[in-house]
Amino acid sequence: MACAAISHTFNGFTITEHPDPVRRAETQKYVTWDEHSLFIDGERIMLFSGEFHPYRLPVPSLWLDVFQKIKALGFNCVSFYVDWALVEGKPGEYRAEGIFALEPFFEAAAQAGIYLLARPGPYINAEVSGGGFPGWLQRVNATLRTSDPAYLAATDNYIANVAATISKAQITNGGPVILYQPENEYTNACCGADFPDGSYMQYVIDQARKAGIVVPMISNDASPSGHNVPESGIGAVDVYGHDSYPLGFDCANPTVWPAGNLPTNFRELHLQQSPSTPYSIVEFQAGAFDPWGGPGFDKCAALLNHEFERVFYKNDFSFGVSFLNLYMIFGGTNWGNLGHPGGYTSYDYGSAITESRNVTREKYSELKLIGNFAKVSPSYLTATPGNASTSIYADTPNLTVTPLIGNGNGSASYFVVRHSDYASQASTNYKLTIPTSAGNLTVPQIEEKQLTLNGRDSKIHVVDYKVFGTNILYSTAEVFTWKNFAGGKVLVLYGGNGEYHELAVSSGSDISVIEGSTSDIAQQSTGDAIIIGWDVSSTRRIVQVDDLRIFLLSKNAAYDYWVPELPAAGTLPGFSTQEKTASSIIVKAGYLVRTAYLQGSNLHITADFNATTPIEVIGAPENAKNLCINGQKVRHSVDHNGIWVSNVDFSPPEINLPRLQDLDWKYLDTLPEIQPTYDDSTWTAADRKTTNNTDHPLSTPTSLYSSDYGFHTGYLIYRGHFIAGDQLPVFYIQTQGGTAFGSSVWLDDGWIGSMGDDGSSNSNGTYRLPTLTDGKPHVFTVVIDNMGLDEDWTVGSETMKNPRGILNYELPEGKSYNATPISWKLTGNLGGEDYIDKVRGPLNEGGLYAERQGFHQPEPPSSNWQSSSPFQGLSTPGIGFYSTSFDLDIPSGWDVPLYFTFMNASSSPAYRVQLYVNGYQFGKYVNNIGPQTSFPVPEGILNYRGKNWVALTLWAMQDGGAKLDGFELVYGTPVKTALTGIEPVEQPKYVLREGAY
Ligand code: GAL
């Protein structure tokens, strides 16, 4: 095949790429690898990465915030998916503009100094509708995710476009993208699918190459099972990677770590499967998704907490991992129907960064300790992982120690310690026998001292660890960071409060305690080294050994330390390199430190505060004279150790929020379909005698699958006309909307029943009908909540094609009825695939009357609507639409999380609510299923200083109707923020929609 050269420009440069591997190598010399790690720009680097999906935070000006919070962890990479369903709602029409544009995401990453792994699919899973497949793929007559030509053809336009955009942001063009992942977890198959299908994987790789992708291809096998490994022939990737979710996705019992769930064979499998590529875990568990009716994300954050991070991530380190991506680092929101039916609106995921971008979970702080350690420990990358042992290193079989042994010349070794029963809560004392450059040593060396591993913990003890010429013979306390400042070398260590720790400095001669109490610091000199032992306390001590200052912190104290890079030029941090790492400062602050830079003699720090915060700067550059925090010069003093000391006062602003109950609410019946005069003549007739969904043969005379008619999102409405016969005792119907869906049926204007309040994905209803007059026309109106399309995790399962709509129905025949079978019409969102709202995308709005009209947007024509509020609600089954507006005046300079909160009354009648904020659907509340009652909405969707429009749809599903027992706008802790430039996204207001019915 001829390989056409592809040209494009980035930052004014014209770049020519080649799909041919040999030619590609000529252009792509920026990202290379050996068996230990990747090299970027020639630098051996550990890539510590977090997963963050731009489409789950549809406010591009907030992306920098998340990137900076990731960067502050000591991380240097982000992995992101692109959701095809959001950018090709209509086949052939790729639209990635506004909130869907990727370029601002790339710019924000570059601005924060974060590399990117691009994962555009075409299949992504990701708990999104269809696993990223647009609904129209249900009509493609081919097995998805195989080399079936019709399927491949369906993917071409999307990948050609998305990969071209990504290619412009590759590192070869000065952008942040360093890796590309074709497909997603191409691992499991069933049902006779040809698998593994190398030519399919190759096709997906070639699609990207043809669009200009030159960076290496990395895979993510769902488990370490060796699919598509390098040199395996067709479909092989450049770098093999796999995923792992060892604690699974049930957060109900967050303190239970089931026996046997800690991975132990990853190193062994890596050596078997892909010994020549860096060991890469492309998705490692960092939280969990949660289903409708599930225990909620606070429980997931508790299951996958800071202890999980310590035990599991350090266990990954014990295998020599050098690309580690945590899924998710920030989850975000399944706004606008983008989620799959297995999840609700929140995609918080229990991640280190919460859905409202808050960083107060302890797991964020813990991760910062691990991230910074990895960043300053490149010698880890070339150390050789050994076998886990319960006898060689520790003096108790209750502990397992895995060594990573330095490769000669006194290079550093690492010893990863954990409980043998990884879930143990015991406090286990131990001594460690370790090989060092001074021979085998048993530590602690100071007599009668012991180390302790407290419960669910794991430690990395370093040996022969180099700090700018000083050899740390060993340290049992863990390394946070180390620096070489003009004023001297600094090493920051931490340990659990009350633990005994010890370190030895080779050929150390002089030792003094320069800050804090000397009382429980022991020292001892061997011929080779000076040994320092101490009990960790919450008060910091600084010990000076020759020209090295060692900060001894408790783990909790260390949580307040940050290591912003000090860019050599300009104000932005670079991508993480050792040189740049070396020119960082250490800042003790509180909530968050984002960046630091020097301008003239002003040392600038940008930081966020949620409390009055003492500030210290360790290692201020020599020519820095003034301290500026968020652009304001602040007073500082310099202590006897050269540490700058200052303070930031905090007094929370007054936040005034409207009481939603007191607002002027307008009401509209949004189920006009059940009125006798309703005219559905412009609706789509459901008259297809066959379905294009080849996996699901019809049980009905015409197809009632919504995707056959282009409706893939939100509420669906069906209208079934018939002439009554002489006997219509019962009507049977089966509807399907996906997990936790609901459905209600009306005959003319009378409600006859609802189904699906038990969490199932489809339901049957058998309804006894009232006596009807023989020969008269009647109509059924059926409303179905489409919860999103199923994913397609297992190749061949074709679960993505599970239809939405009416699967079956039966109306027993009477003599007149025989002549007129039910004739059906349907609607979903106005226009279907020709969706109206190009700004908010193809999935945001559903098929209710008010949605079709666009009344959920700002400034609906509500002046003549009735005044009625959702607190009054409906007294019978039906669907009401409520709209109101209010002004906000949140002080600028504050990041104030806002939530819409529903109150669940003691009884849980079946009702469903959709929450629209300035036209964006930011909540689906299901009162009788839950669990989510509180819906965060970010600034940018909400206008923090200006007018906001809120709309609710209230679907009362049972006798007696429904009303809201409580619905409030509330705020979380205001954070004084350095983040500026948050801009409202486009919020198209209501305009008359031509042809809307
Ligand atoms: C993986 C998949 C991700 C996501 C994750 C669970 O299997 O690759 O896309 O679905 O599981 O959150």
Side-chain angles (χ1 to χ4, degrees):
M1 189 171 69
C3 296
I6 294 158
S7 296
H8 50 75
T9 55
F10 187 82
N11 291 345
F13 296 102
T14 301
I15 311 286
T16 304
E17 316 287 12
H18 294 272
D20 173 85
V22 177
R23 303 293 306 282
R24 196 167 68 239
E26 293 165 8
T27 45
Q28 200 296 100
K29 47 185 182 288
Y30 296 88
V31 189
T32 56
W33 64 91
D34 65 9
E35 71 274 32
H36 300 297
S37 75
L38 286 145
F39 294 82
I40 298 184
D41 264 336
E43 185 206 5
R44 182 181 289 291
I45 195 167
M46 155 107 192
L47 284 166
F48 212 156
S49 172
E51 183 84 15
F52 159 31
H53 302 149
Y55 56 86
R56 279 186 161 118
L57 178 60
V59 184
S61 55
L62 285 174
W63 291 340
L64 180 63
D65 180 49
V66 177
F67 279 122
Q68 288 185 333
K69 285 168 177 165
I70 296 170
K71 178 79 169 179
L73 291 168
F75 284 30
N76 49 17
C77 189
V78 155
S79 159
F80 70 100
Y81 281 134
V82 184
D83 184 353
W84 178 12
L86 292 170
V87 291
E88 197 177 356
K90 182 176 186 183
E93 285 187 15
Y94 177 84
R95 284 177 183 277
E97 289 137 28
I99 56 173
F100 302 111
L102 292 171
E103 292 84 350
F105 190 72
F106 302 150
E107 281 155 25
Q111 196 175 339
I114 291 277
Y115 290 124
L116 295 173
L117 159 59
R119 312 200 300 158
Y123 184 70
I124 61 170
N125 210 60
E127 289 76 71
V128 293
S129 179
F133 284 157
W136 50 266
L137 251 69
Q138 290 198 345
R139 297 196 304 265
V140 171
N141 185 6
T143 306
L144 306 172
R145 306 179 69 194
T146 70
S147 10
D148 230 330
Y151 164 72
L152 295 180
T155 66
D156 282 342
N157 181 50
Y158 166 60
I159 294 294
N161 279 285
V162 75
T165 303
I166 293 167
S167 80
K168 292 180 189 135
Q170 292 177 104
I171 188 170
T172 50
N173 297 342
V177 174
I178 53 161
L179 290 166
Y180 185 101
Q181 180 196 294
E183 245 285 346
N184 188 80
E185 295 193 333
Y186 187 61
T187 305
N188 295 292
C190 73
C191 320
D194 173 18
F195 187 88
D197 179 353
S199 42
Y200 167 57
M201 194 65 166
Q202 191 62 50
Y203 189 90
V204 181
I205 293 170
D206 290 346
Q207 276 180 322
R209 293 290 187 216
K210 282 182 199 151
I213 298 295
V214 294
V215 293
M217 295 281 160
I218 189 167
S219 61
N220 73 327
D221 226 349
S223 53
S225 41
H227 291 103
N228 304 98
V229 293
E231 287 159 44
S232 60
I234 191 159
V237 292
D238 298 313
V239 178
Y240 176 74
H242 71 83
D243 298 349
S244 173
Y245 291 84
L247 288 192
F249 304 100
D250 181 354
C251 306
N253 303 298
T255 59
V256 178
W257 288 6
N261 285 29
L262 185 78
T264 52
N265 60 353
F266 281 178
R267 171 76 184 163
E268 199 181 313
L269 291 172
H270 170 66
L271 292 179
Q272 285 163 21
Q273 293 167 349
S274 192
S276 64
T277 61
Y279 180 49
S280 303
I281 308 183
V282 177
E283 288 178 28
F284 194 82
Q285 182 156 29
F289 57 78
D290 192 45
W292 285 101
F297 285 116
D298 286 343
K299 290 231 166 118
C300 296
L303 177 68
L304 294 320
N305 65 358
H306 58 289
E307 293 173 331
F308 169 84
E309 294 178 325
R310 287 176 70 77
V311 174
F312 283 79
Y313 301 166
K314 290 177 187 178
N315 188 55
D316 290 341
F317 279 49
S318 80
F319 305 125
V321 69
S322 67
F323 180 96
L324 179 58
N325 178 49
L326 304 182
Y327 190 105
M328 303 288 302
I329 197 77
F330 164 79
T333 308
N334 291 324
W335 66 278
N337 300 308
L338 74 80
H340 78 146
Y344 41 95
T345 305
S346 175
Y347 195 69
D348 175 89
Y349 216 81
S351 300
I353 305 173
T354 68
E355 185 179 7
S356 51
R357 294 173 290 101
N358 181 293
V359 293
T360 48
R361 282 184 179 148
E362 186 169 359
K363 62 187 289 189
Y364 179 86
S365 303
E366 176 63 56
L367 204 50
K368 182 175 47 156
L369 304 186
I370 302 175
N372 276 288
F373 161 72
K375 184 173 181 176
V376 297
S377 304
S379 58
Y380 152 79
L381 295 169
T382 46
T384 304
N387 293 330
S389 169
T390 52
S391 58
I392 302 174
Y393 307 102
D395 60 352
T396 160
N398 295 334
L399 297 182
T400 295
V401 181
T402 310
L404 295 109
I405 301 291
N407 282 328
N409 295 334
S411 42
S413 297
Y414 298 80
F415 295 86
V416 183
V417 178
R418 63 166 170 89
H419 274 115
S420 298
D421 163 9
Y422 83 101
S424 169
Q425 304 273 19
S427 275
T428 306
N429 292 331
Y430 64 107
K431 279 184 178 265
L432 207 58
T433 302
I434 39 180
T436 74
S437 58
N440 275 358
L441 295 175
T442 297
V443 298
Q445 295 196 85
I446 295 180
E447 248 171 86
E448 287 173 17
K449 292 292 185 186
Q450 299 228 63
L451 303 174
T452 315
L453 190 73
N454 284 305
R456 290 177 175 174
D457 194 2
S458 172
K459 292 187 175 171
I460 301 183
H461 300 309
V462 298
V463 167
D464 287 314
Y465 191 84
K466 304 292 176 299
V467 178
F468 296 106
T470 298
N471 187 48
I472 304 299
L473 187 59
Y474 63 83
S475 170
T476 68
E478 290 185 280
V479 173
F480 173 60
T481 194
W482 44 277
K483 297 290 154 218
N484 191 9
F485 297 128
K489 297 168 0 187
V490 165
L491 168 65
V492 182
L493 301 176
Y494 65 95
N497 219 355
E499 291 172 1
Y500 172 78
H501 281 290
E502 203 174 277
L503 95 142
V505 182
S506 296
S507 34
S509 54
D510 192 37
I511 164 166
S512 54
V513 178
I514 62 170
E515 186 189 294
S517 141
T518 51
S519 63
D520 53 0
I521 296 196
Q523 28 173 312
Q524 195 172 298
S525 192
T526 67
D528 302 312
I530 277 193
I531 304 165
I532 302 161
W534 72 100
D535 293 321
V536 175
S537 84
S538 53
T539 315
R540 173 174 82 192
R541 263 84 58 88
I542 309 177
V543 177
Q544 175 130 13
V545 181
D546 302 327
D547 64 344
L548 176 67
R549 291 176 170 192
I550 307 171
F551 284 62
L552 308 178
L553 305 178
S554 71
K555 184 157 82 79
N556 278 68
Y559 286 168
D560 285 338
Y561 285 67
W562 306 82
V563 196
E565 290 167 16
L566 212 52
T571 58
L572 298 177
F575 297 104
S576 184
T577 66
Q578 237 354 75
E579 286 79 6
K580 295 229 175 65
T581 307
S583 62
S584 302
I585 54 172
I586 300 171
V587 180
K588 175 176 175 290
Y591 180 75
L592 172 70
V593 173
R594 295 172 186 270
T595 65
Y597 57 95
L598 190 63
Q599 252 175 5
S601 57
N602 292 339
L603 177 62
H604 286 265
I605 291 171
T606 67
D608 288 18
F609 302 93
N610 65 358
T612 293
T613 306
I615 306 278
E616 290 183 355
V617 178
I618 300 155
E622 266 182 319
N623 47 343
K625 298 281 171 289
N626 309 307
L627 179 62
C628 299
I629 297 178
N630 298 341
Q632 298 290 313
K633 199 172 281 188
V634 297
R635 289 160 61 124
H636 75 273
S637 56
V638 182
D639 80 1
H640 65 282
N641 288 318
I643 297 173
W644 288 20
V645 181
S646 185
N647 189 72
V648 169
D649 282 330
F650 177 95
S651 50
E654 202 185 312
I655 310 282
N656 295 309
L657 298 179
R659 224 173 85 91
L660 301 181
Q661 201 143 359
D662 297 342
L663 297 176
D664 180 17
W665 288 89
K666 294 293 197 163
Y667 164 77
L668 194 73
D669 174 6
T670 189
L671 197 64
E673 288 84 357
I674 63 172
Q675 302 307 321
T677 53
Y678 186 79
D679 175 6
D680 62 15
S681 54
T682 56
W683 284 41
T684 304
D687 56 2
R688 301 180 57 98
K689 296 242 158 36
T690 55
T691 176
N692 283 324
N693 188 334
T694 42
D695 281 84
H696 297 275
L698 297 180
S699 306
T700 50
T702 61
S703 169
L704 299 176
Y705 299 160
S706 66
S707 67
D708 272 327
Y709 305 93
F711 300 117
H712 311 299
T713 188
Y715 290 179
L716 299 168
I717 308 182
Y718 287 79
R719 305 261 296 157
H721 296 266
F722 65 98
I723 307 287
D726 59 353
Q727 44 167 308
L728 293 166
V730 285
F731 174 52
Y732 161 80
I733 184 165
Q734 184 187 18
T735 57
Q736 177 159 287
T739 311
F741 91 118
S743 171
S744 297
V745 185
W746 284 263
L747 172 62
D748 304 326
D749 59 359
W751 173 74
I752 58 174
S754 294
M755 18 182 178
D757 55 8
D758 59 353
S760 51
S761 64
N762 69 66
S763 263
N764 304 313
T766 302
Y767 304 111
R768 181 158 296 281
L769 301 179
T771 311
L772 300 175
T773 317
D774 197 358
K776 287 270 164 10
H778 293 279
V779 59
F780 289 116
T781 298
V782 182
V783 181
I784 302 169
D785 193 352
N786 176 2
M787 310 302 280
L789 305 179
D790 293 318
E791 297 176 313
D792 210 82
W793 193 67
T794 306
V795 177
S797 68
E798 300 294 89
T799 42
M800 182 269 162
K801 292 184 178 171
N802 291 339
R804 299 290 178 253
I806 298 174
L807 300 187
N808 205 353
Y809 66 90
E810 233 174 87
L811 194 60
E813 295 166 359
K815 68 174 157 48
S816 326
Y817 173 73
N818 271 344
T820 61
I822 304 183
S823 110
W824 290 97
K825 296 190 152 192
L826 85 163
T827 191
N829 65 304
L830 187 71
E833 288 164 16
D834 283 308
Y835 58 100
I836 309 299
D837 188 347
K838 301 290 191 264
V839 169
R840 300 182 185 92
L843 300 184
N844 183 59
E845 62 186 51
L848 292 180
Y849 169 72
E851 295 173 298
R852 300 187 317 252
Q853 296 293 327
F855 295 159
H856 55 286
Q857 301 174 101
E859 299 181 32
S862 56
S863 50
N864 295 327
W865 298 359
Q866 220 177 300
S867 285
S868 178
S869 85
F871 305 97
Q872 290 160 268
L874 308 173
S875 56
T876 54
I879 311 183
F881 180 80
Y882 301 89
S883 169
T884 192
S885 66
F886 55 81
D887 290 329
L888 287 178
D889 189 13
I890 308 287
S892 60
W894 291 87
D895 191 358
V896 184
L898 294 183
Y899 310 82
F900 289 88
T901 302
F902 293 87
M903 236 79 72
N904 205 337
S906 45
S907 74
S908 298
Y911 69 82
R912 289 170 184 253
V913 178
Q914 296 182 105
L915 164 66
Y916 279 103
V917 179
N918 294 317
Y920 289 83
Q921 195 255 73
F922 251 82
K924 244 174 118 119
Y925 172 69
V926 182
N927 186 57
N928 50 313
I929 296 182
Q932 189 177 4
T933 55
S934 182
F935 295 77
V937 178
E939 180 172 2
I941 296 296
L942 273 167
N943 302 315
Y944 270 32
R945 282 164 293 284
K947 189 161 194 168
N948 293 280
W949 290 86
V950 166
L952 293 179
T953 63
L954 172 64
W955 175 0
M957 301 187 72
Q958 66 186 51
D959 258 333
K963 65 178 173 59
L964 299 188
D965 293 310
F967 178 53
E968 288 179 2
L969 181 59
V970 298
Y971 65 93
T973 307
V975 173
K976 194 174 183 178
T977 183
L979 191 72
T980 55
I982 303 168
E983 286 164 18
V985 295
E986 252 191 283
Q987 298 164 4
K989 59 183 190 190
Y990 168 78
V991 286
L992 185 75
R993 291 183 169 183
E994 263 336 298
Y997 45 85

